[in-house]
Amino acid sequence: MIVLGIESSCDETAAAIVQDGTKILSSIVASQIEVHHKYGGVVPELASRMHIEAITPVVDEAVQKAAINIEDIDGVAATRGPGLIGALLVGFCFAKSFAWARQLPFAGVNHLEAHIYSLFLMDNKPKFPFIALVVSGGHTNIYHVTSYDNFELLGQTRDDAAGEAFDKVAKMLGIGYPGGPIIETLAKTKNPDAIMFPRTLLEKGSFDFSFSGIKSSVARYIHDKNITTKDEKAQVAASFQEAVIDVLSQKLINAAQHKKCLRIGIAGGVSANQTFVNKLSKRAKSKNIKVFSPPVELCGDNAAMIAARGYTMIQQGSLCTLDHDVFSRTKTD
Ligand code: KG4
Ligand code: ZN
């Protein structure tokens, strides 16, 4: 079965063609970073307009790159939420109309479940059960995953998402947007333990996160020490990144031990951070736990993961009709 996947929940317009839920025939991502860069974050109205301009060419390109004809598509999947409403509506309505016009099954996909599905697009997939972390600009959620449809939410952030903290610290340092990759690169030259920013672990046994304390502490440090040079900024970046990685790693390993899982999968934009992947893998290995992380092109928002999740939903008959709508938040957000 060939599925067309469409993603437009935030600032990437993406389309992909995936065969039988696992084989990526094409995956096109049109990023809007250039447009939002000067505002230091995503401007929702601009994002919606950019999606409208990009959606048709991006889908055309995905079909061409996959070397298929439109008639070969057997099903359609699009992100239904969570995300920016105006942005979601563009991809979802396009997909709905496409499916309706061609009389194809249509699945409305949960963006967070789709990030977990990026792990199933790898050759070396984690076996069930495993602990999954979806860590992006909007979410920091830990799940206990026991099947292709069973995602038990164990914890989530109570304030900022980890990626959001990266973006906000980068903004404070005046080093650009999105902050994650810039901070990771800058941090490489410095000793991560030079500044001890706080690690907020919350109550014993909780798998929730809080990153606002780390963020405020960085803001105070920048102000009090009058951080201005590139060298000083790199030091703050390294120690901030270390604090975030430490908290994420501790919680993940605690969750794996609590659920007696020997596998951890990470997904979402922040999982592209190789310093995080390496440090987590090393710590987990000492507890006999293996870490799985997708290739960089599947970490951030993409439509291959949407098509992969949509494929299982279509197989199960879990479909959307023309009456279904998008949603901005999940019940747990
Ligand atoms: O999954 P994603 O592309 O979009 C959302 O659903 O939010 O994640 C984007 C987030 C941004 O906050 C960005 O700063 C962060 O992922 N990010 C990173 C890295 N690459 C992207 N954070 C830390 N290190 C990175 N290398
Ligand atoms: Zn995402």
Side-chain angles (χ1 to χ4, degrees):
M1 174 186 268
I2 290 184
V3 174
L4 163 66
I6 291 178
E7 154 65 30
S8 70
S9 65
C10 191
D11 59 345
E12 263 102 22
T13 320
I17 305 287
V18 175
Q19 192 170 5
D20 299 332
T22 51
K23 190 172 176 208
I24 303 172
L25 301 184
S26 66
S27 178
I28 309 297
V29 180
S31 172
Q32 306 176 357
I33 282 176
E34 286 303 311
V35 177
H36 301 291
H37 190 269
K38 60 175 176 282
Y39 304 102
V42 177
V43 183
E45 178 56 25
L46 281 181
S48 312
R49 290 187 211 173
M50 298 289 295
H51 284 307
I52 291 171
E53 283 172 23
I55 188 80
T56 306
V58 164
V59 171
D60 279 348
E61 195 181 339
V63 170
Q64 269 174 30
K65 280 253 165 71
I68 60 161
N69 296 313
I70 291 268
E71 295 73 35
D72 299 327
I73 296 171
D74 303 304
V76 185
T79 309
R80 199 175 160 202
L84 302 169
I85 284 293
L88 285 164
L89 277 170
V90 178
F92 193 75
C93 291
F94 183 100
K96 220 195 243 188
S97 319
F98 186 100
W100 177 74
R102 307 200 72 85
Q103 293 296 295
L104 296 173
F106 170 52
V109 171
N110 178 306
H111 183 84
L112 302 173
E113 292 177 6
H115 270 301
I116 296 174
Y117 265 68
S118 64
L119 293 161
F120 304 140
L121 284 165
M122 303 192 302
D123 291 336
N124 178 22
K125 318 178 203 326
K127 290 201 182 90
F128 301 114
F130 65 92
I131 296 296
L133 173 75
V134 177
V135 62
S136 66
H139 294 89
T140 310
N141 290 9
I142 293 194
Y143 300 90
H144 181 220
V145 184
T146 50
S147 76
Y148 285 111
D149 293 299
N150 230 312
F151 319 96
E152 180 199 355
L153 182 69
L154 300 180
Q156 62 189 319
T157 184
R158 294 186 187 169
D159 39 58
D160 291 341
E164 190 180 357
F166 269 93
D167 295 337
K168 287 180 177 169
V169 165
K171 199 170 181 178
M172 290 175 206
L173 290 170
I175 53 176
Y177 171 86
I182 305 170
I183 286 183
E184 185 182 10
T185 308
L186 208 55
K188 283 197 166 63
T189 54
K190 294 291 171 189
N191 169 14
D193 300 320
I195 312 166
M196 194 38 87
F197 289 121
R199 276 75 167 148
T200 311
L201 293 170
L202 303 168
E203 317 83 65
K204 196 168 185 299
S206 169
F207 299 117
D208 280 352
F209 297 95
S210 168
F211 293 106
S212 64
I214 302 178
K215 190 190 63 186
S216 308
S217 169
V218 172
R220 267 196 308 277
Y221 189 92
I222 294 172
H223 177 264
D224 294 350
K225 305 269 179 199
N226 190 24
I227 300 299
T228 46
T229 67
K230 188 170 178 204
D231 202 53
E232 292 167 336
K233 289 179 183 183
Q235 184 55 69
V236 171
S239 293
F240 158 75
Q241 176 177 265
E242 184 68 10
V244 174
I245 290 176
D246 192 11
V247 172
L248 292 173
S249 303
Q250 278 195 50
K251 293 269 175 181
L252 276 171
I253 291 170
N254 288 350
Q257 290 182 322
H258 175 70
K259 289 290 184 183
K260 299 188 173 43
C261 283
L262 294 176
R263 288 165 290 270
I264 291 171
I266 58 173
V270 181
S271 68
N273 187 306
Q274 290 311 301
T275 316
F276 173 39
V277 175
N278 295 338
K279 291 200 171 189
L280 171 64
S281 302
K282 201 168 158 203
R283 259 165 101 161
K285 198 173 170 200
S286 70
K287 311 273 183 210
N288 218 11
I289 298 166
K290 193 168 161 32
V291 173
F292 296 77
S293 61
V296 171
E297 64 276 14
L298 292 177
C299 288
D301 289 346
N302 67 88
M305 66 183 194
I306 306 298
R309 178 58 180 136
Y311 170 77
T312 56
M313 293 173 77
I314 292 169
Q315 294 275 307
Q316 291 156 357
S318 177
L319 302 177
C320 278
T321 65
L322 284 180
D323 297 334
H324 282 89
D325 211 347
V326 295
F327 58 88
S328 62
R329 292 171 155 263
T330 59
K331 271 182 278 175
T332 55
D333 275 342

